[in-house]
Amino acid sequence: MYQYLSGILTIIAINVTAVCGLTVLTGFTGLFSMGHAGFMSLGAYASVIAMLYWHFPFIPAMIFGGLAAALVGLIVGYPTMKGKMRGDTFAIAMLGFSETVRLGLSNIYPYINGALGISDIPRYSEAWVVTLIAAFCVYITYRYTRSKHGRIALSIRDEETAAELIGVNITWEKIKSFMISAFFCGMAGCMYACYYTFITPNTFSTTTSNNLLAAVVFGGMGSVTGPTIAAAILAMLPEMLRFVQKWRLVLYGAVMILVMLFRPEGLMGGREFSIKGIARWFRKIFSKLNRRAGEVSK
Amino acid sequence: MSLLEVKNLTIQFGGLKAISDVDLEINPGEMIGLIGPNGAGKTTLFNAITGVVDIAQGSITFDGKNLSKYKPNQIAHLGISRTFQNIRLFSKMTAEENVSIGISSVADYDIISAFLGLPNARKKDRETREKAREYLAQVNLLEYKDAIAGSLPYGIQRKLEIARAIATRPKLLLLDEPAAGMNNEETMELIEFIRNIHRHNETNMAIILIEHHLEVVMNLCSDITVLNLGSVLTRGNPEEVQNNPAVIKAYIGERRSRA
Ligand SMILES: Nc1ncnc2c1ncn2[C@@H]1O[C@H](COP(=O)(O)OP(=O)(O)OP(=O)(O)O)[C@@H](O)[C@H]1O
Ligand SMILES: [Mg+2]
């Protein structure tokens, strides 16, 4: 039982870390990506190489994986952002990117064994360690989005032309968001590799990318806490639905459709989850009830 | 020396010459009007000055610099700011945040400080916030500081867009039909508003005002340029322009062709 719970916790933590990155890119800068699994893959491979061949400890290897993904983010981001790619074009281009990563890794044999992948990765991803890391990531992402950097990203999402004409260097700001998203996904990739202890180029698939994007949209664009909660729910959902066995994925899809139907702006909209917010919410409901009671007594 | 000098400017969209051979000049601290029927090329001229459309021929010089070498965001930093015919506020952000992007469109501290919320970042943020409030107070919008820009009444949004534009401390402010969609009372108030920001600013700001409502331009500008079909039809003071048969014809012709 303990093992089971700590397993779920680990998966949640990994998912949350990756979603933190995508929140900055999609929720705050307005760029939809269907290929961030590619960055998880790159981060996983880079950190595993650092651990196995250069004997990096866990945390430095994880940061190294994040930085490697961010570097590739810079190389991919520069031409795409310079070419003003966005919307569906950008989303599809990212799909192509993750496929390129997958096929590329499948064909490199020295060090990483091509399609066979790497096994015997040290199992560093203890539940409490990755949970702490994820919590830290949520915190710093929240801080970042409240900062000037985050507000500038948001201005691009809201009204790109106006942002540019007021002096925002939109190309650079987008590359920055892109690199940050790659960094978090790269770290999450490392955490994943150190939990399952083996990776192949197919470990991080289009489904992974889609789940990340779904968490951001479900949670609410322009919110950090919303996607965090959504990422946790989406990571747990397959487990919670295990009792229906083969209908699991069907139900998973149905839940997605229902959420989008009844809350198209996502769980939190653009707001953040806070105790104050909950108190306000309760107060609103109570005052409504009171009013109704008043009407009845009249 | 003039602040902005547009010389023999031609802008082409495919086969259409939206602007052909236009000259325009404005000195520091001046306010000039730009009028003309629909499709005359007024907005296109603003787009050319702010660097969002390519110049086919001619040149635009601002403060002695040839603008064709600069990107739109760099032109903003040189000191040109504008509003849009269709309001383009950051609609999901608060009024205060809108203005604060105008105050510093480049983050004034590094990414690590932003992630960790270090004291220097928080201090800079606080300073920006205070300055944003000063600007909002100056244009009498302080009470709306925490309101989401997109949910504000139309007239307030127009003013907020102007506030955001002047928060960049421009030397040249381009206003594209600020009174569009306003009723008479709101328009009169806006005229006073614009007069006020023109008088009280630290940069000796020049203003070019595009307006369909002639009474707004006539009220504010002593020098008016009339564009028609991409060319300068005439320029002069309000009476001269109002009594010029060619101007009347351009406007009436427009009304006929619309009917
Ligand atoms: N990006 C563009 N691509 C193609 N044609 C354009 C573009 N922008 C403007 N035009 C055309 O250029 C001409 C001038 O348009 P412009 O918007 O400058 O007119 P305007 O004087 O601002 O008119 P209005 O009073 O209606 O705002 C119009 O015929 C318009 O259709
Ligand atoms: Mg126009």
Side-chain angles (χ1 to χ4, degrees):
Chain A
M1 189 62 193
Y2 169 76
Q3 193 122 54
Y4 179 71
L5 284 180
S6 73
I8 292 184
L9 199 59
T10 309
I11 295 168
I12 289 177
I14 293 169
N15 209 21
V16 164
T17 305
V19 165
C20 277
L22 202 60
T23 294
V24 173
L25 183 71
T26 304
F28 283 84
T29 322
L31 288 163
F32 288 79
S33 162
M34 288 168 62
H36 263 56
F39 289 120
M40 290 183 78
S41 215
L42 286 170
Y45 270 90
S47 58
V48 166
I49 289 173
M51 283 184 285
L52 294 184
Y53 294 99
W54 307 326
H55 309 289
F56 272 44
F58 178 52
I59 301 282
M62 185 180 75
I63 291 170
F64 176 76
L67 289 175
L71 180 66
V72 175
L74 176 63
I75 296 166
V76 175
Y78 187 77
T80 42
M81 305 310 175
K82 192 101 183 153
K84 306 223 167 202
M85 245 192 226
R86 57 176 176 227
D88 36 12
T89 333
F90 177 75
I92 302 291
M94 287 309 296
L95 190 64
F97 161 74
S98 67
E99 276 304 282
T100 310
V101 170
R102 191 175 68 85
L103 294 171
L105 291 173
S106 307
N107 287 299
I108 299 174
Y109 291 93
Y111 296 104
I112 62 170
N113 302 329
L116 293 176
I118 311 176
S119 46
D120 296 325
I121 300 165
R123 190 159 191 192
Y124 289 130
S125 287
E126 292 283 344
W128 67 271
V129 177
V130 290
T131 305
L132 274 184
I133 294 172
F136 181 66
C137 287
V138 172
Y139 173 74
I140 63 176
T141 308
Y142 176 79
R143 283 258 64 90
Y144 182 80
T145 58
R146 299 289 122 178
S147 77
K148 192 85 206 181
H149 293 263
R151 297 291 109 179
I152 288 173
L154 201 54
S155 77
I156 295 176
R157 190 199 81 181
D158 262 12
E159 191 55 77
E160 191 169 322
T161 316
E164 185 174 25
L165 292 188
I166 228 167
V168 174
N169 185 342
I170 51 174
T171 309
W172 165 237
E173 297 297 335
K174 284 179 183 175
I175 294 175
K176 201 165 75 185
S177 293
F178 193 57
M179 288 174 69
I180 289 168
S181 69
F183 181 79
F184 281 100
C185 284
M187 291 207 302
C190 169
M191 286 151 72
Y192 188 99
C194 292
Y195 175 64
Y196 286 100
T197 69
F198 71 91
I199 46 169
T200 75
N202 295 322
T203 301
F204 304 98
S205 61
T206 314
T207 314
T208 319
S209 297
N210 291 345
N211 283 343
L212 297 180
L213 188 57
V216 175
V217 177
F218 278 9
M221 301 272 289
S223 163
V224 175
T225 42
T228 301
I229 296 166
I233 294 175
L234 287 183
M236 277 188 299
L237 209 54
E239 288 304 322
M240 296 192 314
L241 294 175
R242 204 169 272 288
F243 67 97
V244 282
Q245 294 186 359
K246 63 184 170 197
W247 290 97
R248 187 157 72 103
L249 290 176
V250 177
L251 265 182
Y252 184 80
V255 170
M256 284 196 178
I257 293 174
L258 284 177
V259 172
M260 283 296 96
L261 219 50
F262 291 107
R263 246 190 116 69
E265 75 278 25
L267 231 47
M268 299 302 295
R271 291 181 299 274
E272 296 293 359
F273 179 84
S274 68
I275 304 297
K276 243 194 240 160
I278 296 181
R280 210 178 310 130
W281 186 72
F282 271 114
R283 228 175 295 139
K284 219 163 75 190
I285 290 192
F286 275 128
S287 69
K288 239 187 229 165
L289 286 178
N290 273 342
R291 220 175 305 135
R292 209 161 288 162
E295 276 161 24
V296 169
S297 67
K298 251 186 246 161
Chain B
M1 196 189 74
S2 55
L3 179 68
L4 179 85
E5 200 175 352
V6 177
K7 253 198 182 146
N8 305 325
L9 186 74
T10 299
I11 306 284
Q12 232 161 339
F13 297 115
L16 174 84
K17 269 192 184 164
I19 297 270
S20 51
D21 219 9
V22 164
D23 291 312
L24 190 77
E25 232 178 277
I26 186 168
N27 293 312
E30 254 186 333
M31 168 143 60
I32 64 171
L34 189 60
I35 65 171
N38 284 106
K42 306 178 297 289
T43 301
T44 305
L45 185 57
F46 276 12
N47 286 342
I49 296 171
T50 49
V52 284
V53 295
D54 289 331
I55 296 174
Q57 262 167 50
S59 67
I60 305 175
T61 317
F62 177 75
D63 236 358
K65 298 176 191 80
N66 184 348
L67 290 189
S68 63
K69 294 196 204 99
Y70 295 87
K71 293 203 213 88
N73 61 308
Q74 294 168 324
I75 292 175
H77 288 292
L78 290 180
I80 300 182
S81 195
R82 73 177 281 185
T83 65
F84 300 86
Q85 192 167 343
N86 312 307
I87 301 176
R88 286 176 186 264
L89 283 169
F90 307 127
S91 56
K92 302 255 169 56
M93 296 165 76
T94 65
E96 185 187 285
E97 287 173 334
N98 267 271
V99 175
S100 64
I101 301 280
I103 290 169
S104 59
S105 53
V106 179
D108 38 13
Y109 48 85
D110 59 275
I111 296 183
I112 303 294
S113 311
F115 270 121
L116 300 178
L118 296 183
N120 66 323
R122 290 184 186 221
K123 182 162 163 272
K124 288 263 168 61
D125 281 345
R126 200 163 47 238
E127 284 167 7
T128 309
R129 225 169 11 245
E130 273 158 21
K131 246 190 256 165
R133 286 181 192 167
E134 272 169 37
Y135 275 105
L136 286 171
Q138 201 186 329
V139 298
N140 283 327
L141 293 181
L142 193 57
E143 57 183 306
Y144 301 106
K145 70 179 167 49
D146 295 320
I148 299 297
S151 67
L152 288 169
Y154 188 78
I156 306 289
Q157 288 194 23
R158 284 263 175 223
K159 278 193 195 169
L160 179 58
E161 207 189 18
I162 298 175
R164 181 182 68 180
I166 57 174
T168 65
R169 299 165 49 88
K171 294 181 198 141
L172 174 64
L173 176 65
L174 310 174
L175 299 175
D176 197 344
E177 302 201 20
M182 285 188 176
N183 61 28
N184 261 355
E185 193 188 331
E186 287 172 320
T187 306
M188 293 325 279
E189 204 196 319
L190 184 81
I191 291 174
E192 279 319 303
F193 178 79
I194 294 174
R195 207 192 301 279
N196 217 2
I197 57 168
H198 183 228
R199 278 202 199 127
H200 306 286
N201 67 80
E202 308 140 18
T203 53
N204 194 19
M205 182 168 71
I207 298 180
I208 305 181
L209 174 67
I210 293 181
E211 201 34 83
H212 260 304
H213 296 102
L214 290 186
E215 67 276 15
V216 177
V217 210
M218 304 286 167
N219 219 311
L220 285 168
C221 312
S222 53
D223 182 6
I224 296 170
T225 299
V226 186
L227 277 184
N228 188 33
L229 301 173
S231 316
V232 176
L233 191 65
T234 182
R235 57 174 46 118
N237 62 39
E239 287 100 277
E240 284 167 359
V241 166
Q242 221 161 6
N243 298 326
N244 186 324
V247 175
I248 297 168
K249 206 173 141 219
Y251 270 90
I252 292 173
E254 184 211 10
R255 230 162 270 157
R256 273 220 194 106
S257 65
R258 266 209 223 147

